Amino acid sequence: MDWDDLKFTLAVARHGSLSAAARALGTTQPTVGRRLNNFERRLGVKLFERSVDGLVTTPLAAALIEGLDEMEHGALAIERRLASRDTGLAGLITLTSIDWLGDHVLAPIAARFAARHPQVQIDLLTEPRDYNLARREADIVFRFGAFEQENVVVRKVADVAYGFYASDSYVQRHGLPDFDNGCRGHAIVLLHDEAGRVCYGDWTPMLAPQARVIFRSKGLQAHFAAVEAGEAMATLPRFVADQRQGLRHIVTPVPEPTQAVRMGVHADMRDTPRLRAFIDFAASALKSAAARLKPAT
């Protein structure tokens, strides 16, 4: 029995669809489907039933997966132990973060670190999914929310502030918003519910309850685009927005929301030299950027 076949089967069972399993494995949906079909054909049994909600495990698959979980847990523990014995500053470091934090804050830090250590390669992934450190889907995770995985060493490394912004052209056409009347006559953009719970999710509607919501989106790049086009106001990360020409930071009558940035690494991997070096380097760089990540005014 091929371990890769079992790995593909386990991924489909965990994620409930071929496409989700493919994303988790870093491959394509047709590849996952082909591997699963070939495996079922060799076994002579069906492991999954197709339904409108995705793929549901059969009783045989459920029993198989219970054993696979135990096998994977042991194999990954051995893999992490071997990986942690690396003795030099060389090899791959996989970092994950949300889009704007990864693109604007972590990317320059990662670039400086890699320039100083030519034998280190860094992969920076900015997808919103929760990467599993135990399965080594990532080495170091930067996020705002809590870490629910076990055996993760978590360290708070920064606070980031958000502010209310409009473009100069928007203010010229519409004037500054009147918060006493709920920003009536103005337009805003908001985060979509699928973006999850963030510190400013309720803050913006509370600040501008009478403003017209022109659209909602999961990512902040769309919010920047709407504001810079002069069509709406939005809540944006101050670290990025304060550097954009033509954007005006609008003082609000209530305190601006802030959010803590946490860095997580699996306990088995934290003393790996290249990870230890990057963790210290990133923490120092984020400390130096504290005043820009969370401006006093």
Side-chain angles (χ1 to χ4, degrees):
M1 189 176 293
D2 191 331
W3 168 248
D4 282 342
D5 288 333
L6 300 177
K7 182 172 66 175
F8 276 75
T9 302
L10 192 56
V12 173
R14 281 182 175 143
H15 298 283
S17 72
L18 298 179
S19 57
R23 288 193 295 271
L25 293 168
T27 186
T28 64
Q29 179 175 335
T31 298
V32 177
R34 184 172 61 253
R35 292 296 295 261
L36 181 60
N37 288 335
N38 290 342
F39 188 39
E40 287 180 327
R41 188 163 52 251
R42 289 201 303 276
L43 291 176
V45 296
K46 281 290 184 183
L47 297 174
F48 297 91
E49 297 292 344
R50 277 66 177 174
S51 74
V52 293
D53 296 323
L55 297 176
V56 180
T57 55
T58 63
L60 174 62
L64 177 65
I65 288 160
E66 184 177 349
L68 286 179
D69 279 327
E70 295 178 5
M71 290 173 58
E72 185 192 45
H73 181 76
L76 288 171
I78 293 172
E79 185 179 318
R80 290 193 303 270
R81 186 168 298 178
L82 291 173
S84 68
R85 294 173 65 87
D86 289 349
T87 58
L89 287 175
L92 175 66
I93 301 176
T94 301
L95 312 174
T96 73
S97 174
I98 65 167
D99 53 3
W100 79 262
L101 185 69
D103 292 342
H104 296 282
V105 180
L106 297 177
I109 294 172
R112 290 196 297 271
F113 182 84
R116 287 162 175 74
H117 304 287
Q119 295 185 30
V120 171
Q121 175 187 336
I122 296 179
D123 285 353
L124 177 58
L125 310 177
T126 56
E127 297 178 13
R129 74 180 183 88
D130 189 6
Y131 287 83
N132 192 303
L133 290 167
R135 298 191 191 108
R136 300 199 64 204
E137 294 177 351
D139 294 311
I140 303 172
V141 174
F142 292 85
R143 62 182 306 174
F144 294 129
F147 285 78
E148 297 179 357
Q149 300 172 27
E150 297 180 353
N151 299 321
V152 175
V153 179
V154 179
R155 176 178 179 181
K156 178 184 172 183
V157 289
D159 286 301
V160 297
Y162 294 82
F164 204 54
Y165 288 85
S167 69
D168 289 335
S169 63
Y170 179 93
V171 173
Q172 288 170 7
R173 295 198 318 274
H174 302 285
L176 288 171
D178 182 352
F179 295 108
D180 289 336
N181 71 7
C183 299
R184 184 178 290 109
H186 286 272
I188 59 173
V189 293
L190 298 177
L191 279 176
H192 192 276
D193 292 342
E194 289 187 7
R197 185 163 184 81
V198 296
C199 68
Y200 60 91
D202 297 330
W203 186 75
T204 310
M206 177 272 297
L207 198 64
Q210 300 302 318
R212 183 170 68 93
V213 179
I214 62 172
F215 72 77
R216 295 176 173 83
S217 72
K218 290 177 62 175
L220 282 178
Q221 296 302 333
H223 291 200
F224 271 104
V227 174
E228 290 180 322
E231 300 300 334
M233 304 180 294
T235 300
L236 302 171
R238 293 202 57 185
F239 180 86
V240 183
D242 286 348
Q243 301 178 59
R244 297 284 181 95
Q245 291 187 351
L247 291 192
R248 184 177 303 192
H249 177 225
I250 301 172
V251 178
T252 61
V254 292
E256 296 177 333
T258 62
Q259 210 160 10
V261 179
R262 294 178 175 85
M263 174 171 57
V265 62
H266 196 281
D268 291 348
M269 300 295 294
R270 61 178 168 178
D271 293 325
T272 306
R274 67 181 182 278
L275 300 189
R276 181 75 265 165
F278 183 83
I279 288 169
D280 293 340
F281 185 86
S284 176
L286 289 168
K287 182 177 180 180
S288 298
R292 288 182 295 137
L293 289 166
K294 185 184 176 184
T297 58

